[in-house]
């Protein structure tokens, strides 16, 4: 089992450095995971906002962690490709418990936010870097080098700050997180092309971006040098919108 998980972790890491951009249409259950895998995508990624909504809870660690892990475990069992979990801010778990629980459900990657959902606001970058380093050490000791996608929440939490200040802070945090052992940096919420290009140039590791309808598509993100693109809860919301439309057509 450990050998299989290690092979999946190694493959996931390799895809962050491939010539072709890693595209992740995020899923929320076993059925959506199977659709993504059957379409030929080499990795399946969960979306915490979508899973939380499916379970009836708000995003931002509003759902019980056991339910979140159970849902991600069902995703992992449904496919034969590597699975990475949006683990939000880690649910207050110490590094060993977090790694153990990820491996127990067959997951080889995780998103980890630098937001403190209990206190509100961003975690100190140095403190968060130490946590990432501890998670990296535990995962390596377990024999499965889990792929850590370090989410930088500057563009969400400091929306009123000048753009150049947020970019500079995202670069600072991204460098700290990569030095601590993260594999990819995810500056969620950044949508300006110049800001993305600056982040790609100044952060010495893969950058995770998001498309924006009518503004940023996969081609443009590829041209900017983004290594990984995720969709978060967008596909889940589109699926619900389609369901709503179909139901309304049937309504008396």
């Amino acid at each position: 089992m450990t050998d299989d998980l290690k092979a999946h972790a190694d493959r996931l890491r390799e895809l962050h450095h491939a010539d072709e951009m890693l595209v992740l249409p995020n899923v929320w259950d076993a059925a959506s995971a199977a659709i993504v895998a059957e379409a030929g995508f080499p990795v399946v990624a969960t979306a915490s906002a979508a899973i939380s909504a499916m379970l009836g809870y708000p995003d931002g660690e509003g759902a019980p962690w056991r339910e979140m892990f159970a849902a991600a475990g069902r995703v992992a069992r449904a496919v034969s490709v590597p699975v990475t979990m949006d683990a939000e801010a880690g649910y207050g778990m110490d590094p060993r418990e977090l790694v153990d629980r990820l491996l127990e459900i067959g997951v080889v990657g995780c998103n980890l936010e630098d937001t403190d959902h209990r206190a509100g606001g961003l975690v100190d970058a140095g403190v968060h870097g130490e946590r990432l380093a501890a998670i990296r050490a535990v995962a390596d000791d377990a024999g499965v080098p889990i792929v850590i996608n370090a989410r930088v929440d500057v563009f969400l939490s400091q929306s009123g700050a000048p753009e150049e200040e947020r970019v500079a802070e995202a670069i600072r945090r991204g460098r700290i997180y990569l030095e601590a052992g993260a594999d990819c940096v995810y500056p969620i919420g950044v949508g300006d092309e110049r800001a993305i290009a600056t982040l790609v140039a100044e952060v010495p590791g893969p950058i995770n971006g998001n498309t924006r309808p009518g503004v940023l598509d996969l081609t443009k993100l590829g041209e900017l040098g983004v290594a990984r693109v995720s969709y978060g809860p967008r596909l889940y919301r589109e699926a619900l919108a389609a369901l709503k439309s179909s139901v309304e057509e049937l309504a008396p």
Side-chain angles (χ1 to χ4, degrees):
M1 181 65 172
T2 298
D3 289 343
D4 291 341
L5 291 177
K6 182 180 185 303
H8 274 184
D10 289 341
R11 177 59 177 155
L12 176 55
R13 181 170 287 100
E14 289 170 1
L15 289 167
H16 284 75
H17 300 277
D19 292 335
E20 187 173 348
M21 188 165 55
L22 177 60
V23 178
L24 302 172
N26 299 76
V27 307
W28 54 93
D29 61 10
S32 57
I35 288 171
V36 169
E38 289 168 4
F41 288 91
V43 174
V44 166
T46 68
S48 66
I51 292 179
S52 296
M54 177 191 69
L55 295 172
Y57 298 95
D59 190 24
E61 298 195 345
W65 69 262
R66 292 184 186 277
E67 294 192 44
M68 297 296 287
F69 273 79
R74 290 190 289 272
V75 166
R77 291 195 299 273
V79 299
S80 60
V81 299
V83 173
T84 180
M85 175 185 177
D86 183 349
E88 303 186 82
Y91 307 104
M93 295 180 183
D94 65 52
R96 184 164 298 281
E97 181 183 11
L98 178 62
V99 170
D100 286 349
R101 294 194 180 281
L102 290 170
L103 297 181
E104 282 173 4
I105 61 173
V107 167
V108 297
C110 63
N111 278 17
L112 287 172
E113 308 164 2
D114 59 1
T115 290
D116 185 333
H117 293 289
R118 291 162 182 78
L122 294 174
V123 178
D124 176 81
V127 171
H128 192 62
E130 291 175 0
R131 175 169 167 76
L132 294 177
I135 293 168
R136 165 59 59 226
V138 170
D140 290 349
D141 185 59
V144 181
I146 286 173
V147 175
I148 301 172
N149 189 34
R151 207 179 87 172
V152 177
D153 289 356
V154 168
F155 294 94
L156 300 182
S157 65
Q158 300 179 1
S159 58
E163 182 79 356
E164 60 272 18
E165 290 184 11
R166 289 183 290 168
V167 171
E169 178 62 9
I171 292 170
R172 185 180 77 89
R173 286 176 175 265
R175 290 174 174 172
I176 290 172
Y177 301 162
L178 289 171
E179 181 67 24
D183 298 281
C184 185
V185 173
Y186 182 12
I188 188 170
V190 59
D192 180 77
E193 290 184 20
R194 288 186 301 173
I196 295 172
T198 300
L199 287 162
V200 169
E202 297 296 331
V203 177
I207 294 292
N208 187 143
N210 301 114
T211 63
R212 292 198 174 194
V215 181
L216 287 171
D217 57 16
L218 289 176
T219 299
K220 175 54 68 175
L221 288 173
E223 292 172 351
L224 292 171
V226 168
R228 164 174 165 161
V229 176
S230 50
Y231 284 75
R234 186 189 309 170
L235 300 180
Y236 168 76
R237 291 168 180 163
E238 290 177 0
L240 285 189
L243 173 62
K244 180 180 180 182
S245 177
S246 295
V247 169
E248 287 176 345
E249 290 180 6
L250 299 173

